[in-house]
Amino acid sequence: MVQMSKRREDSATWISEIGPVMDAKLKKRIEKGRAWRVQKSSTGVYEVKSMPAVVVDLEEGTCSCGSWQYSGFVCAHVATVLAKTCGEEESMADYIDPFYHVVAYQQTYEDKIHPVLAMDIPDFTQGTAREIKPPRNRRPPGRPCLKRIRSRGEECMARPRKCSRCHQLCNHNRRTCTEASKD
């Protein structure tokens, strides 16, 4: 009840079309694509020169990386195309799924939960013959995992490395390099 009320009051003060958490993610994705080049192929179709190169179709709502279709929120490639072609971050809200808009968030928390009076709650302290015990949970055998398994749409924070074979900043090394040898 308190959580619903707090979230309702917080969302009433938001001024952008998407919430502050998703707005921060959008800014992070725009920043990620600052160095990428964008080339227009046809109306609404762009090629983003990133590692690897990606095709973005704004009219169909697709990106060849698949993240935009999967989550409904613009990936770094789409955010880069919109930032470099439109120039305004407000127009990006049209390409974001309505699920992420502030209006949808406010509709989620617009219903009120009425408090439950103390007389409606049964008193379990007097004369109950049954005692509810916690479940018996055993830890699984073996050493616990230290590395968290990331979900499909979650971004990897790996820094690009310089390959000693092709001398490019990328996410591979000499052993996994696929570039043709210059020798």
Side-chain angles (χ1 to χ4, degrees):
M1 177 178 69
V2 174
Q3 180 185 28
M4 296 270 291
S5 176
K6 182 174 178 354
R7 289 184 178 177
R8 188 180 319 109
E9 291 167 3
D10 288 347
S11 66
T13 62
W14 296 345
I15 53 174
S16 66
E17 284 189 60
I18 57 175
V21 173
M22 298 313 286
D23 198 30
K25 278 190 179 184
L26 180 63
K27 284 182 174 48
K28 188 176 179 183
R29 290 179 182 183
I30 292 170
E31 190 60 37
K32 182 179 178 182
R34 289 265 186 238
W36 295 342
R37 289 187 302 134
V38 176
Q39 292 179 336
K40 186 173 184 175
S41 173
S42 63
T43 306
V45 180
Y46 297 89
E47 180 183 11
V48 179
K49 299 285 186 172
S50 63
M51 195 66 175
V54 173
V55 176
V56 174
D57 189 348
L58 296 177
E59 292 177 352
E60 292 290 322
T62 60
C63 179
S64 59
C65 75
S67 178
W68 190 17
Q69 298 92 295
Y70 178 73
S71 67
F73 193 76
V74 293
C75 61
H77 308 108
V78 177
T80 302
V81 167
L82 292 172
K84 292 190 177 183
T85 58
C86 301
E88 298 179 11
E89 292 181 25
E90 289 87 29
S91 62
M92 290 188 196
D94 299 335
Y95 295 96
I96 296 173
D97 194 75
F99 171 79
Y100 297 104
H101 288 218
V102 172
V103 175
Y105 188 89
Q106 289 171 340
Q107 287 174 348
T108 303
Y109 295 105
E110 73 183 1
D111 293 332
K112 295 161 186 64
I113 297 179
H114 298 286
V116 178
L117 299 176
M119 63 184 175
D120 296 340
I121 301 172
D123 187 17
F124 291 106
T125 59
Q126 297 176 358
T128 53
R130 293 178 48 187
E131 185 177 328
I132 301 173
K133 295 183 178 179
R136 295 181 192 168
N137 290 341
R138 289 183 47 97
R139 293 183 68 187
R143 188 176 178 96
C145 291
L146 296 178
K147 189 172 183 181
R148 185 173 63 87
I149 300 171
R150 297 189 180 276
S151 64
R152 182 174 175 198
E154 204 168 351
E155 298 175 8
C156 181
M157 299 301 289
R159 289 188 352 210
R161 296 175 266 185
K162 185 173 182 180
C163 176
S164 59
R165 183 174 179 198
C166 64
H167 304 292
Q168 293 179 351
L169 281 175
C170 44
N171 290 325
H172 67 266
N173 56 21
R174 180 181 197 88
R175 189 172 60 86
T176 60
C177 186
T178 58
E179 293 290 321
S181 178
K182 295 180 182 177
D183 296 335

PDB file of all heavy atoms in Angstrom, residues 17-19 22 67-75 92-105:
ATOM      1  N   GLU A  17       8.813  11.934 -21.246  1.00  0.00           N
ATOM      2  CA  GLU A  17       7.818  10.951 -21.688  1.00  0.00           C
ATOM      3  C   GLU A  17       8.133   9.545 -21.192  1.00  0.00           C
ATOM      4  O   GLU A  17       7.242   8.713 -21.106  1.00  0.00           O
ATOM      5  CB  GLU A  17       7.730  10.934 -23.211  1.00  0.00           C
ATOM      6  CG  GLU A  17       6.972  12.112 -23.779  1.00  0.00           C
ATOM      7  CD  GLU A  17       6.737  11.928 -25.260  1.00  0.00           C
ATOM      8  OE1 GLU A  17       6.089  10.952 -25.655  1.00  0.00           O
ATOM      9  OE2 GLU A  17       7.216  12.779 -26.018  1.00  0.00           O
ATOM     10  N   ILE A  18       9.415   9.274 -20.916  1.00  0.00           N
ATOM     11  CA  ILE A  18       9.790   7.974 -20.357  1.00  0.00           C
ATOM     12  C   ILE A  18      10.350   8.211 -18.957  1.00  0.00           C
ATOM     13  O   ILE A  18      10.766   9.312 -18.635  1.00  0.00           O
ATOM     14  CB  ILE A  18      10.807   7.229 -21.246  1.00  0.00           C
ATOM     15  CG1 ILE A  18      12.070   8.062 -21.478  1.00  0.00           C
ATOM     16  CG2 ILE A  18      10.186   6.847 -22.564  1.00  0.00           C
ATOM     17  CD1 ILE A  18      13.142   7.326 -22.229  1.00  0.00           C
ATOM     18  N   GLY A  19      10.334   7.180 -18.137  1.00  0.00           N
ATOM     19  CA  GLY A  19      10.772   7.315 -16.743  1.00  0.00           C
ATOM     20  C   GLY A  19      12.242   7.637 -16.608  1.00  0.00           C
ATOM     21  O   GLY A  19      13.018   7.504 -17.560  1.00  0.00           O
ATOM     22  N   MET A  22      14.803   4.631 -17.409  1.00  0.00           N
ATOM     23  CA  MET A  22      14.934   4.345 -18.833  1.00  0.00           C
ATOM     24  C   MET A  22      15.527   5.547 -19.578  1.00  0.00           C
ATOM     25  O   MET A  22      16.210   5.370 -20.587  1.00  0.00           O
ATOM     26  CB  MET A  22      13.585   3.956 -19.423  1.00  0.00           C
ATOM     27  CG  MET A  22      12.998   2.698 -18.817  1.00  0.00           C
ATOM     28  SD  MET A  22      14.145   1.317 -18.676  1.00  0.00           S
ATOM     29  CE  MET A  22      14.268   0.775 -20.353  1.00  0.00           C
ATOM     30  N   SER A  67      17.957  -6.529 -30.566  1.00  0.00           N
ATOM     31  CA  SER A  67      17.655  -6.049 -29.218  1.00  0.00           C
ATOM     32  C   SER A  67      16.399  -5.175 -29.185  1.00  0.00           C
ATOM     33  O   SER A  67      15.620  -5.250 -28.239  1.00  0.00           O
ATOM     34  CB  SER A  67      18.851  -5.267 -28.671  1.00  0.00           C
ATOM     35  OG  SER A  67      18.565  -4.762 -27.401  1.00  0.00           O
ATOM     36  N   TRP A  68      16.208  -4.358 -30.203  1.00  0.00           N
ATOM     37  CA  TRP A  68      15.047  -3.468 -30.258  1.00  0.00           C
ATOM     38  C   TRP A  68      13.753  -4.272 -30.355  1.00  0.00           C
ATOM     39  O   TRP A  68      12.784  -3.996 -29.657  1.00  0.00           O
ATOM     40  CB  TRP A  68      15.190  -2.527 -31.443  1.00  0.00           C
ATOM     41  CG  TRP A  68      14.191  -1.410 -31.498  1.00  0.00           C
ATOM     42  CD1 TRP A  68      13.406  -0.948 -30.482  1.00  0.00           C
ATOM     43  CD2 TRP A  68      13.863  -0.602 -32.629  1.00  0.00           C
ATOM     44  NE1 TRP A  68      12.631   0.102 -30.911  1.00  0.00           N
ATOM     45  CE2 TRP A  68      12.896   0.334 -32.231  1.00  0.00           C
ATOM     46  CE3 TRP A  68      14.312  -0.564 -33.936  1.00  0.00           C
ATOM     47  CZ2 TRP A  68      12.364   1.275 -33.101  1.00  0.00           C
ATOM     48  CZ3 TRP A  68      13.791   0.383 -34.787  1.00  0.00           C
ATOM     49  CH2 TRP A  68      12.818   1.292 -34.374  1.00  0.00           C
ATOM     50  N   GLN A  69      13.730  -5.308 -31.201  1.00  0.00           N
ATOM     51  CA  GLN A  69      12.539  -6.138 -31.336  1.00  0.00           C
ATOM     52  C   GLN A  69      12.302  -6.945 -30.068  1.00  0.00           C
ATOM     53  O   GLN A  69      11.166  -7.189 -29.681  1.00  0.00           O
ATOM     54  CB  GLN A  69      12.665  -7.115 -32.510  1.00  0.00           C
ATOM     55  CG  GLN A  69      12.811  -6.458 -33.864  1.00  0.00           C
ATOM     56  CD  GLN A  69      14.256  -6.240 -34.261  1.00  0.00           C
ATOM     57  OE1 GLN A  69      14.956  -5.476 -33.631  1.00  0.00           O
ATOM     58  NE2 GLN A  69      14.702  -6.893 -35.316  1.00  0.00           N
ATOM     59  N   TYR A  70      13.364  -7.378 -29.425  1.00  0.00           N
ATOM     60  CA  TYR A  70      13.244  -8.238 -28.242  1.00  0.00           C
ATOM     61  C   TYR A  70      12.686  -7.487 -27.035  1.00  0.00           C
ATOM     62  O   TYR A  70      11.780  -7.956 -26.374  1.00  0.00           O
ATOM     63  CB  TYR A  70      14.615  -8.836 -27.911  1.00  0.00           C
ATOM     64  CG  TYR A  70      14.633  -9.702 -26.681  1.00  0.00           C
ATOM     65  CD1 TYR A  70      14.053 -10.962 -26.685  1.00  0.00           C
ATOM     66  CD2 TYR A  70      15.216  -9.258 -25.502  1.00  0.00           C
ATOM     67  CE1 TYR A  70      14.052 -11.756 -25.566  1.00  0.00           C
ATOM     68  CE2 TYR A  70      15.225 -10.041 -24.370  1.00  0.00           C
ATOM     69  CZ  TYR A  70      14.643 -11.298 -24.410  1.00  0.00           C
ATOM     70  OH  TYR A  70      14.646 -12.073 -23.286  1.00  0.00           O
ATOM     71  N   SER A  71      13.242  -6.292 -26.762  1.00  0.00           N
ATOM     72  CA  SER A  71      12.855  -5.586 -25.543  1.00  0.00           C
ATOM     73  C   SER A  71      11.822  -4.485 -25.765  1.00  0.00           C
ATOM     74  O   SER A  71      11.129  -4.093 -24.838  1.00  0.00           O
ATOM     75  CB  SER A  71      14.095  -4.964 -24.885  1.00  0.00           C
ATOM     76  OG  SER A  71      14.613  -3.927 -25.699  1.00  0.00           O
ATOM     77  N   GLY A  72      11.729  -3.944 -26.981  1.00  0.00           N
ATOM     78  CA  GLY A  72      10.811  -2.846 -27.234  1.00  0.00           C
ATOM     79  C   GLY A  72      11.419  -1.491 -26.919  1.00  0.00           C
ATOM     80  O   GLY A  72      10.831  -0.460 -27.216  1.00  0.00           O
ATOM     81  N   PHE A  73      12.601  -1.497 -26.325  1.00  0.00           N
ATOM     82  CA  PHE A  73      13.318  -0.258 -26.023  1.00  0.00           C
ATOM     83  C   PHE A  73      14.462  -0.127 -27.012  1.00  0.00           C
ATOM     84  O   PHE A  73      15.117  -1.121 -27.344  1.00  0.00           O
ATOM     85  CB  PHE A  73      13.851  -0.291 -24.587  1.00  0.00           C
ATOM     86  CG  PHE A  73      14.327   1.038 -24.094  1.00  0.00           C
ATOM     87  CD1 PHE A  73      13.425   2.007 -23.715  1.00  0.00           C
ATOM     88  CD2 PHE A  73      15.675   1.321 -24.020  1.00  0.00           C
ATOM     89  CE1 PHE A  73      13.855   3.244 -23.260  1.00  0.00           C
ATOM     90  CE2 PHE A  73      16.120   2.549 -23.566  1.00  0.00           C
ATOM     91  CZ  PHE A  73      15.205   3.513 -23.187  1.00  0.00           C
ATOM     92  N   VAL A  74      14.716   1.096 -27.486  1.00  0.00           N
ATOM     93  CA  VAL A  74      15.720   1.294 -28.529  1.00  0.00           C
ATOM     94  C   VAL A  74      17.096   0.821 -28.065  1.00  0.00           C
ATOM     95  O   VAL A  74      17.497   1.063 -26.938  1.00  0.00           O
ATOM     96  CB  VAL A  74      15.781   2.765 -28.986  1.00  0.00           C
ATOM     97  CG1 VAL A  74      14.522   3.163 -29.686  1.00  0.00           C
ATOM     98  CG2 VAL A  74      16.067   3.707 -27.843  1.00  0.00           C
ATOM     99  N   CYS A  75      17.782   0.134 -28.970  1.00  0.00           N
ATOM    100  CA  CYS A  75      19.150  -0.296 -28.674  1.00  0.00           C
ATOM    101  C   CYS A  75      20.094   0.876 -28.985  1.00  0.00           C
ATOM    102  O   CYS A  75      19.665   1.934 -29.436  1.00  0.00           O
ATOM    103  CB  CYS A  75      19.505  -1.532 -29.499  1.00  0.00           C
ATOM    104  SG  CYS A  75      19.443  -1.266 -31.283  1.00  0.00           S
ATOM    105  N   MET A  92      12.564  10.516 -29.832  1.00  0.00           N
ATOM    106  CA  MET A  92      12.884   9.107 -29.639  1.00  0.00           C
ATOM    107  C   MET A  92      11.776   8.365 -28.916  1.00  0.00           C
ATOM    108  O   MET A  92      11.654   7.152 -29.053  1.00  0.00           O
ATOM    109  CB  MET A  92      14.191   8.957 -28.864  1.00  0.00           C
ATOM    110  CG  MET A  92      15.393   9.365 -29.647  1.00  0.00           C
ATOM    111  SD  MET A  92      16.875   8.956 -28.772  1.00  0.00           S
ATOM    112  CE  MET A  92      18.040   9.939 -29.652  1.00  0.00           C
ATOM    113  N   ALA A  93      10.958   9.061 -28.170  1.00  0.00           N
ATOM    114  CA  ALA A  93       9.867   8.409 -27.428  1.00  0.00           C
ATOM    115  C   ALA A  93       8.865   7.766 -28.369  1.00  0.00           C
ATOM    116  O   ALA A  93       8.184   6.816 -27.986  1.00  0.00           O
ATOM    117  CB  ALA A  93       9.180   9.427 -26.527  1.00  0.00           C
ATOM    118  N   ASP A  94       8.764   8.255 -29.619  1.00  0.00           N
ATOM    119  CA  ASP A  94       7.849   7.657 -30.590  1.00  0.00           C
ATOM    120  C   ASP A  94       8.305   6.257 -31.000  1.00  0.00           C
ATOM    121  O   ASP A  94       7.492   5.442 -31.428  1.00  0.00           O
ATOM    122  CB  ASP A  94       7.732   8.537 -31.833  1.00  0.00           C
ATOM    123  CG  ASP A  94       7.183   9.917 -31.504  1.00  0.00           C
ATOM    124  OD1 ASP A  94       6.475  10.036 -30.475  1.00  0.00           O
ATOM    125  OD2 ASP A  94       7.467  10.859 -32.266  1.00  0.00           O
ATOM    126  N   TYR A  95       9.594   5.979 -30.891  1.00  0.00           N
ATOM    127  CA  TYR A  95      10.143   4.692 -31.305  1.00  0.00           C
ATOM    128  C   TYR A  95      10.294   3.720 -30.129  1.00  0.00           C
ATOM    129  O   TYR A  95      10.769   2.610 -30.312  1.00  0.00           O
ATOM    130  CB  TYR A  95      11.509   4.898 -31.978  1.00  0.00           C
ATOM    131  CG  TYR A  95      11.381   5.688 -33.263  1.00  0.00           C
ATOM    132  CD1 TYR A  95      11.599   7.061 -33.285  1.00  0.00           C
ATOM    133  CD2 TYR A  95      11.030   5.059 -34.448  1.00  0.00           C
ATOM    134  CE1 TYR A  95      11.477   7.784 -34.458  1.00  0.00           C
ATOM    135  CE2 TYR A  95      10.904   5.767 -35.626  1.00  0.00           C
ATOM    136  CZ  TYR A  95      11.132   7.130 -35.621  1.00  0.00           C
ATOM    137  OH  TYR A  95      10.991   7.836 -36.788  1.00  0.00           O
ATOM    138  N   ILE A  96       9.913   4.149 -28.943  1.00  0.00           N
ATOM    139  CA  ILE A  96      10.005   3.300 -27.749  1.00  0.00           C
ATOM    140  C   ILE A  96       8.632   2.707 -27.466  1.00  0.00           C
ATOM    141  O   ILE A  96       7.619   3.391 -27.593  1.00  0.00           O
ATOM    142  CB  ILE A  96      10.517   4.127 -26.546  1.00  0.00           C
ATOM    143  CG1 ILE A  96      11.930   4.616 -26.823  1.00  0.00           C
ATOM    144  CG2 ILE A  96      10.479   3.317 -25.268  1.00  0.00           C
ATOM    145  CD1 ILE A  96      12.464   5.575 -25.787  1.00  0.00           C
ATOM    146  N   ASP A  97       8.596   1.452 -27.091  1.00  0.00           N
ATOM    147  CA  ASP A  97       7.345   0.762 -26.791  1.00  0.00           C
ATOM    148  C   ASP A  97       6.575   1.528 -25.710  1.00  0.00           C
ATOM    149  O   ASP A  97       7.180   2.018 -24.752  1.00  0.00           O
ATOM    150  CB  ASP A  97       7.675  -0.651 -26.296  1.00  0.00           C
ATOM    151  CG  ASP A  97       6.466  -1.541 -26.273  1.00  0.00           C
ATOM    152  OD1 ASP A  97       6.035  -1.985 -27.347  1.00  0.00           O
ATOM    153  OD2 ASP A  97       5.956  -1.787 -25.160  1.00  0.00           O
ATOM    154  N   PRO A  98       5.243   1.650 -25.822  1.00  0.00           N
ATOM    155  CA  PRO A  98       4.447   2.390 -24.829  1.00  0.00           C
ATOM    156  C   PRO A  98       4.569   1.836 -23.407  1.00  0.00           C
ATOM    157  O   PRO A  98       4.263   2.537 -22.444  1.00  0.00           O
ATOM    158  CB  PRO A  98       3.009   2.242 -25.336  1.00  0.00           C
ATOM    159  CG  PRO A  98       3.133   1.980 -26.778  1.00  0.00           C
ATOM    160  CD  PRO A  98       4.423   1.247 -26.965  1.00  0.00           C
ATOM    161  N   PHE A  99       5.039   0.611 -23.270  1.00  0.00           N
ATOM    162  CA  PHE A  99       5.250   0.013 -21.950  1.00  0.00           C
ATOM    163  C   PHE A  99       6.212   0.850 -21.105  1.00  0.00           C
ATOM    164  O   PHE A  99       6.079   0.942 -19.895  1.00  0.00           O
ATOM    165  CB  PHE A  99       5.800  -1.409 -22.125  1.00  0.00           C
ATOM    166  CG  PHE A  99       6.257  -2.055 -20.852  1.00  0.00           C
ATOM    167  CD1 PHE A  99       5.344  -2.605 -19.974  1.00  0.00           C
ATOM    168  CD2 PHE A  99       7.604  -2.112 -20.531  1.00  0.00           C
ATOM    169  CE1 PHE A  99       5.762  -3.212 -18.797  1.00  0.00           C
ATOM    170  CE2 PHE A  99       8.027  -2.706 -19.360  1.00  0.00           C
ATOM    171  CZ  PHE A  99       7.107  -3.256 -18.497  1.00  0.00           C
ATOM    172  N   TYR A 100       7.194   1.489 -21.754  1.00  0.00           N
ATOM    173  CA  TYR A 100       8.220   2.260 -21.047  1.00  0.00           C
ATOM    174  C   TYR A 100       7.836   3.718 -20.819  1.00  0.00           C
ATOM    175  O   TYR A 100       8.601   4.456 -20.211  1.00  0.00           O
ATOM    176  CB  TYR A 100       9.549   2.204 -21.820  1.00  0.00           C
ATOM    177  CG  TYR A 100      10.110   0.814 -21.917  1.00  0.00           C
ATOM    178  CD1 TYR A 100      10.027   0.096 -23.103  1.00  0.00           C
ATOM    179  CD2 TYR A 100      10.717   0.211 -20.830  1.00  0.00           C
ATOM    180  CE1 TYR A 100      10.543  -1.187 -23.192  1.00  0.00           C
ATOM    181  CE2 TYR A 100      11.235  -1.064 -20.915  1.00  0.00           C
ATOM    182  CZ  TYR A 100      11.135  -1.754 -22.099  1.00  0.00           C
ATOM    183  OH  TYR A 100      11.644  -3.022 -22.178  1.00  0.00           O
ATOM    184  N   HIS A 101       6.682   4.151 -21.293  1.00  0.00           N
ATOM    185  CA  HIS A 101       6.272   5.546 -21.133  1.00  0.00           C
ATOM    186  C   HIS A 101       5.760   5.798 -19.713  1.00  0.00           C
ATOM    187  O   HIS A 101       5.281   4.890 -19.034  1.00  0.00           O
ATOM    188  CB  HIS A 101       5.186   5.895 -22.142  1.00  0.00           C
ATOM    189  CG  HIS A 101       5.699   6.002 -23.546  1.00  0.00           C
ATOM    190  ND1 HIS A 101       5.247   6.940 -24.424  1.00  0.00           N
ATOM    191  CD2 HIS A 101       6.632   5.300 -24.232  1.00  0.00           C
ATOM    192  CE1 HIS A 101       5.863   6.811 -25.579  1.00  0.00           C
ATOM    193  NE2 HIS A 101       6.713   5.815 -25.486  1.00  0.00           N
ATOM    194  N   VAL A 102       5.849   7.036 -19.284  1.00  0.00           N
ATOM    195  CA  VAL A 102       5.410   7.431 -17.945  1.00  0.00           C
ATOM    196  C   VAL A 102       3.912   7.194 -17.775  1.00  0.00           C
ATOM    197  O   VAL A 102       3.459   6.801 -16.697  1.00  0.00           O
ATOM    198  CB  VAL A 102       5.770   8.917 -17.679  1.00  0.00           C
ATOM    199  CG1 VAL A 102       5.155   9.414 -16.393  1.00  0.00           C
ATOM    200  CG2 VAL A 102       7.271   9.097 -17.639  1.00  0.00           C
ATOM    201  N   VAL A 103       3.150   7.383 -18.846  1.00  0.00           N
ATOM    202  CA  VAL A 103       1.698   7.200 -18.776  1.00  0.00           C
ATOM    203  C   VAL A 103       1.361   5.762 -18.381  1.00  0.00           C
ATOM    204  O   VAL A 103       0.482   5.526 -17.549  1.00  0.00           O
ATOM    205  CB  VAL A 103       1.048   7.570 -20.131  1.00  0.00           C
ATOM    206  CG1 VAL A 103      -0.424   7.278 -20.124  1.00  0.00           C
ATOM    207  CG2 VAL A 103       1.312   9.030 -20.449  1.00  0.00           C
ATOM    208  N   ALA A 104       2.063   4.783 -18.957  1.00  0.00           N
ATOM    209  CA  ALA A 104       1.825   3.374 -18.620  1.00  0.00           C
ATOM    210  C   ALA A 104       2.205   3.098 -17.167  1.00  0.00           C
ATOM    211  O   ALA A 104       1.514   2.351 -16.464  1.00  0.00           O
ATOM    212  CB  ALA A 104       2.617   2.472 -19.554  1.00  0.00           C
ATOM    213  N   TYR A 105       3.285   3.705 -16.717  1.00  0.00           N
ATOM    214  CA  TYR A 105       3.712   3.538 -15.321  1.00  0.00           C
ATOM    215  C   TYR A 105       2.660   4.115 -14.371  1.00  0.00           C
ATOM    216  O   TYR A 105       2.309   3.508 -13.362  1.00  0.00           O
ATOM    217  CB  TYR A 105       5.059   4.233 -15.121  1.00  0.00           C
ATOM    218  CG  TYR A 105       5.712   3.981 -13.782  1.00  0.00           C
ATOM    219  CD1 TYR A 105       6.550   2.900 -13.597  1.00  0.00           C
ATOM    220  CD2 TYR A 105       5.500   4.831 -12.711  1.00  0.00           C
ATOM    221  CE1 TYR A 105       7.166   2.667 -12.376  1.00  0.00           C
ATOM    222  CE2 TYR A 105       6.102   4.610 -11.483  1.00  0.00           C
ATOM    223  CZ  TYR A 105       6.942   3.531 -11.333  1.00  0.00           C
ATOM    224  OH  TYR A 105       7.546   3.297 -10.121  1.00  0.00           O
TER     225      TYR A 105
END
